[in-house]
Amino acid sequence: MDILTIASVLLMVANISLGLLVYMRTLGQSRGRTFLAFTTTAALWIGGLVLSQQKVADINPDLAATGLKLAFAGAALTILSFVYLTTVYPKKVPFRKAVEYPVLFLGILFALISLSTDKIVLEIKEYLPFGYTVEYGSLYYFYGAYIVIALVVGFWILIQRYKEIKDSDDKKEALQLRYFLGATFLSFLPVVITNLIVPSFLHNSPISRIGPLF
C-alpha cells in the first residue's frame, strides 16, 4: 500500500474510534449518536475512495467501481449527518423542519441513487497519480448542488446559534460552538475544493485521494 492509502485507512480507524469514544461518553444523548453517525459516514466515504484506487481496479474492476459509488453515497450521508449534528451540538435545539427535513431526505435519496444507479457516477475512465478521470451521470451536478447547499445550511445554523449565545452567560457553550464552527469549516473547505469544485470544472478527479486527509 502507498502512503496515501495507509493514511486513509488510519483516518478511517481514527474516525470510527473517535465516534465510538464520544458515543460511550454521552450514552443516551442525541449528540453522541449523531456524532457517531457523522464519523462513521465519513469513514464510509474514505473507504469508498480507498476501494476505488487503481490497485483494486487491477484486481477487481467491479469492486473499484462499487467503491466509487460508495464514496459518493458516503459523502452525501456525511453532509446529512453534519447538518443534523448542528441541531444537537453542544445542546439540542428545536428542529427547523422547513430546513432540515429537505436536507435529510435529499441526502438519503442521493446516497441510494449513487449506490443503485449510474445517475451520479458512471465509471472510472483513467487513473492519474492522485486520482482519476471519471464519467459522471446525469444527476452529478444536482448532487454537487445538494452538497454545497447542505453545507451552507449547516454553517448557517451554527452561525445563528453562535450569535444567539455569544453574549449569554453560557461561555462554555459559546466556546464549544466557536471551536466546532472553525474546525468543521477548515475541514470541509479543502474537501469541497479537491472532491467537488475541481472535478466539476475539470470533469475529472485528479486530486480526489488527497481530500480525506483534511
Side-chain angles (χ1 to χ4, degrees):
M1 290 192 294
D2 59 41
I3 185 100
L4 283 178
T5 301
I6 294 173
S8 296
V9 171
L10 290 176
L11 190 58
M12 288 174 57
V13 174
N15 268 277
I16 295 174
S17 299
L18 180 60
L20 288 172
L21 177 63
V22 172
Y23 175 76
M24 294 301 294
R25 295 185 63 178
T26 58
L27 284 177
Q29 297 183 28
S30 56
R31 62 178 180 173
R33 295 191 296 269
T34 308
F35 187 76
L36 177 59
F38 177 61
T39 56
T40 302
T41 52
L44 186 68
W45 164 59
I46 298 169
L49 291 178
V50 170
L51 287 176
S52 66
Q53 64 181 304
Q54 186 171 7
K55 290 182 180 180
V56 176
D58 290 340
I59 300 172
N60 190 332
D62 291 337
L63 180 60
T66 300
L68 187 60
K69 291 177 178 293
L70 187 65
F72 276 81
L77 295 176
T78 299
I79 300 302
L80 178 159
S81 301
F82 166 68
V83 173
Y84 191 79
L85 185 59
T86 63
T87 69
V88 298
Y89 180 84
K91 293 181 180 179
K92 193 170 184 178
V93 295
F95 204 67
R96 300 174 176 87
K97 296 181 180 180
V99 176
E100 283 89 352
Y101 277 174
V103 171
L104 300 180
F105 171 76
L106 289 174
I108 295 173
L109 179 64
F110 277 122
L112 292 175
I113 291 174
S114 177
L115 289 173
S116 60
T117 74
D118 296 329
K119 296 296 184 181
I120 295 177
V121 58
L122 289 170
E123 62 177 350
I124 300 172
K125 298 173 64 176
E126 178 186 4
Y127 279 93
L128 304 170
F130 297 104
Y132 29 64
T133 300
V134 177
E135 185 175 354
Y136 297 113
S138 57
L139 295 181
Y140 172 76
Y141 289 102
F142 293 99
Y143 170 91
Y146 161 76
I147 295 293
V148 172
I149 292 172
L151 281 174
V152 170
V153 168
F155 284 113
W156 175 78
I157 294 172
L158 285 178
I159 292 171
Q160 294 304 311
R161 293 188 64 189
Y162 181 70
K163 286 181 178 179
E164 292 171 359
I165 67 170
K166 67 177 182 178
D167 296 323
S168 67
D169 294 331
D170 196 343
K171 301 299 182 183
K172 181 180 179 181
E173 183 177 350
L175 185 62
Q176 288 176 326
L177 269 177
R178 187 169 64 188
Y179 284 145
F180 182 60
L181 178 60
T184 50
F185 179 78
L186 291 176
S187 296
F188 276 124
L189 180 61
V191 170
V192 169
I193 292 173
T194 58
N195 289 67
L196 185 62
I197 295 177
V198 171
S200 296
F201 281 98
L202 298 183
H203 301 287
N204 61 50
S205 304
I207 51 176
S208 59
R209 291 183 63 198
I210 300 175
L213 301 182
F214 294 101

